[in-house]
Amino acid sequence: MSTINFAAREINCKIVYYGPGMSGKTTNLKHVFSKVPAQLRGEMVSLATEDERTLFFDFLPLDLGSVQGFKTRFHLYTVPGQVFYNASRKLILRGVDGIVFVADSAPNRLRANAESMRNLRENLAEHGIDVREVPIVLQVNKRDVEGALPTEMIRAVIDPKKELTLFEATAHNGGGVFETLKSVSRLVLDRLAQNK
Amino acid sequence: MIEPSLALYGDAFERVDRHLEELLAATGVRYCLLVDRKGFVLSHKEALWAPRPPALDSVATLVASNAAATAALANMLGERTFSEQTHQGENGTLYVESVGDSALLTLIFDGSVPLGRVKVQTKKAIAGLAAILKELQDAPPVQLGEDFSHGATALLDDLFG
């Protein structure tokens, strides 16, 4: 549930980019950061190792503007994708309002996608929520990588029932980044309006 | 809902504000923030004489993440949580203390402020703040409705095309 601050008339929502290591979560945020006008975004915080792998999280605050007199703000987070960082990954999922699952198209990362999705379900379950309760959007990233697997094949592994909205993306040049963000934002705000 | 959520408004917000102002005056700290566990700033006050604060969103996010990480450590050590943390640098100090289960009170100050005084005054303020936040948990949920949904859609179309 989002944090609503009535005095300042502010609504705050938390969106988390999830997915296997190196799938492009940080790249998504960097693209948003570089394209959104400075007055709409805050500073980007990255806690990364020297070789730029996310260690704890990346954080980017984003002002959407006012809806019905409420200043609406999104906080975008990424998690560290590497398998052994699960303790910190779980912390970042606390209080999440919407999730973007960034899958990797590379043929040797299919299994990693599946494991990451399973890990997401497990971590959410540990916090006591069902995956169906929180809005999730799929982004199949790196469509331009050599030998990229067909989107449907990747989907069959991470979303076999085809329940989630899916976007193809090439985050390094911005392809599909804003489409994905818009879609998840919409789901989050719709849920807010339904007072769930 | 993973974390308890807070809606801080009206009378409660003003009372929280007053507590923060009193704390600021009593301790002589530079900045005083009430942050929820998710990293959102609920309220903040700064001393008039203090220089411009660093990006408060970033501060709040890092304080909340830090608290989450140390709480996980506390669990491993058989504690429920560590309720207070002091980070002392050469010139400045960051002092964080839990306010109930849903918020963190964060004070930032320089070497001229005695830590003992901050601790004593913070404990006093927290008793008042915790009571206000507890009242809020029983407040009725906010109703946003259909209009909000339409407005939000228009806003997203505007921003993302």
Side-chain angles (χ1 to χ4, degrees):
Chain A
M1 171 84 182
S2 327
T3 303
I4 301 177
N5 186 334
F6 252 71
R9 293 188 79 78
E10 257 184 19
I11 295 178
N12 288 302
C13 302
K14 177 170 178 177
I15 292 178
V16 174
Y17 284 70
Y18 211 92
M22 300 286 277
S23 63
K25 302 173 289 294
T26 302
T27 313
N28 262 277
L29 248 63
K30 280 185 175 161
H31 183 77
V32 173
F33 182 80
S34 70
K35 283 287 182 290
V36 169
Q39 72 272 19
L40 296 183
R41 57 156 168 79
E43 283 174 25
M44 183 161 164
V45 176
S46 275
L47 303 180
T49 59
E50 233 161 60
D51 50 351
E52 299 219 322
R53 301 290 302 272
T54 305
L55 181 62
F56 198 176
F57 61 81
D58 304 304
F59 164 73
L60 176 63
L62 197 63
D63 273 334
L64 296 189
S66 287
V67 188
Q68 300 271 300
F70 283 96
K71 196 169 151 202
T72 309
R73 314 190 69 214
F74 276 16
H75 285 194
L76 310 184
Y77 285 81
T78 69
V79 298
Q82 296 173 79
V83 178
F84 46 87
Y85 286 147
N86 195 45
S88 43
R89 194 155 48 233
K90 209 156 47 181
L91 295 178
I92 295 152
L93 275 182
R94 298 170 86 156
V96 67
D97 295 305
I99 296 170
V100 174
F101 187 90
V102 183
D104 195 326
S105 297
N108 59 349
R109 297 298 284 163
L110 188 60
R111 205 189 153 81
N113 291 333
E115 273 167 11
S116 178
M117 182 52 102
R118 196 178 63 190
N119 175 255
L120 171 61
R121 287 171 201 273
E122 285 170 0
N123 282 340
L124 286 174
E126 257 184 67
H127 284 303
I129 45 174
D130 194 302
V131 264
R132 264 165 251 127
E133 281 175 33
V134 49
I136 304 181
V137 171
L138 291 181
Q139 182 188 76
V140 180
N141 193 23
K142 303 197 188 175
R143 292 313 296 155
D144 54 350
V145 84
E146 202 177 324
L149 295 171
T151 308
E152 284 314 309
M153 187 172 175
I154 296 166
R155 177 176 218 159
V157 165
I158 52 179
D159 177 31
K161 290 186 193 148
K162 301 192 177 178
E163 291 165 320
L164 308 174
T165 318
L166 182 145
F167 293 91
E168 296 195 347
T170 47
H172 70 95
N173 60 22
V177 169
F178 280 105
E179 288 84 343
T180 315
L181 180 57
K182 183 178 175 184
S183 172
V184 74
S185 308
R186 224 190 134 157
L187 291 174
V188 169
L189 291 172
D190 277 353
R191 246 175 77 95
L192 204 59
Q194 289 159 18
N195 300 307
K196 274 193 202 156
Chain B
M1 201 192 323
I2 301 174
E3 285 287 300
S5 78
L6 282 176
L8 192 56
Y9 55 91
D11 170 50
F13 185 88
E14 277 161 29
R15 280 188 288 151
V16 165
D17 252 19
R18 226 173 299 138
H19 276 294
L20 294 190
E21 255 164 24
E22 281 168 17
L23 185 59
L24 208 60
T27 53
V29 300
R30 287 187 179 186
Y31 320 112
C32 180
L33 290 86
L34 189 67
V35 175
D36 80 354
R37 295 257 178 187
K38 294 163 69 174
F40 298 122
V41 180
L42 292 173
S43 179
H44 72 92
K45 288 276 163 230
E46 45 198 86
L48 285 173
W49 51 267
R52 241 171 85 97
L56 291 178
D57 278 331
S58 305
V59 172
T61 295
L62 290 169
V63 163
S65 314
N66 197 13
T70 41
L73 262 175
N75 287 335
M76 283 182 183
L77 302 178
E79 298 279 339
R80 203 175 73 82
T81 184
F82 293 132
S83 60
E84 77 167 62
Q85 290 180 56
T86 317
H87 298 287
Q88 210 142 13
E90 246 171 71
N91 304 311
T93 305
L94 174 75
Y95 183 79
V96 180
E97 186 148 354
S98 305
V99 185
D101 280 337
S102 51
L104 298 161
L105 184 61
T106 307
L107 291 104
I108 300 170
F109 49 95
D110 55 42
S112 66
V113 179
L115 181 60
R117 191 203 296 164
V118 171
K119 284 196 177 189
V120 170
Q121 298 292 344
T122 307
K123 293 261 187 306
K124 272 192 210 162
I126 281 177
L129 289 172
I132 300 173
L133 296 186
K134 199 155 187 330
E135 279 171 38
L136 284 173
Q137 280 172 355
D138 308 327
V142 177
Q143 302 289 322
L144 289 167
E146 190 85 339
D147 288 346
F148 178 83
S149 192
H150 291 310
T153 308
L155 189 75
L156 291 175
D157 284 339
D158 254 15
L159 195 64
F160 299 131

